[in-house]
Amino acid sequence: TRARFLLEARSAARLQHPNIVIIYEFGEHEGVPFIAMELLEGETLAGALRAGRLPEMAQRVEVVRQLCEGLAYAHANGIIHRDVKPANVTLLPSGVVKVVDFGLAWLEGSVATTRTGQLLGTPHYMAPEQFLGQPVDHRVDQWAVGVILWELLTGRRPFDASSVPSLIYQVVHQPLPPAPAKTPPGLAAV
């Protein structure tokens, strides 16, 4: 809805952090809502993963570190992203990581504005409580970062299935697979 769009735009616009896309303006023009944001050069983390452009472990860990910095700032300001995934992480040529697309952003303590039972987010990166319809907080973003870290370490997601119901079952009921043997111990603990 239009009210939800404006709430989300207002939420994202108040975030001023080097690891979060800058929102310059939002509003409506001739009845059409718009968001004007910084133009980002570079590629998404999803694209970099597909193309194998993050060969070094140090690069991969740095991406996650910067992602965590941006999300920690959003969380400190009461905003939960709720759709953290490689396609919503932009890697700039300078090495800076930007979190983008706060389209499902949630103001902590706000009331849901969507229909009951509607799946919001990208299933492979959603936390169990999102599937179970439980209240969410910043930990759903932390879960998604954990999935991204797993993907960066192993080249695959920790849970994968041929259908969304099977994926949901895995996320809700199965334990996380063990980290690969080659994973440095400190990183495996994370």
Side-chain angles (χ1 to χ4, degrees), residues 4 6-12 14-15 74-75 77-82 102 104-112 136-137:
R4 179 187 163 112
L6 292 172
L7 175 67
E8 291 161 355
R10 194 172 296 113
S11 301
R14 71 182 217 208
L15 298 176
H75 297 159
N77 284 278
I79 297 173
I80 303 159
H81 190 287
R82 293 194 314 157
F102 280 76
L104 293 181
W106 184 263
L107 291 171
E108 207 161 29
S110 64
V111 177
V136 300
D137 60 24

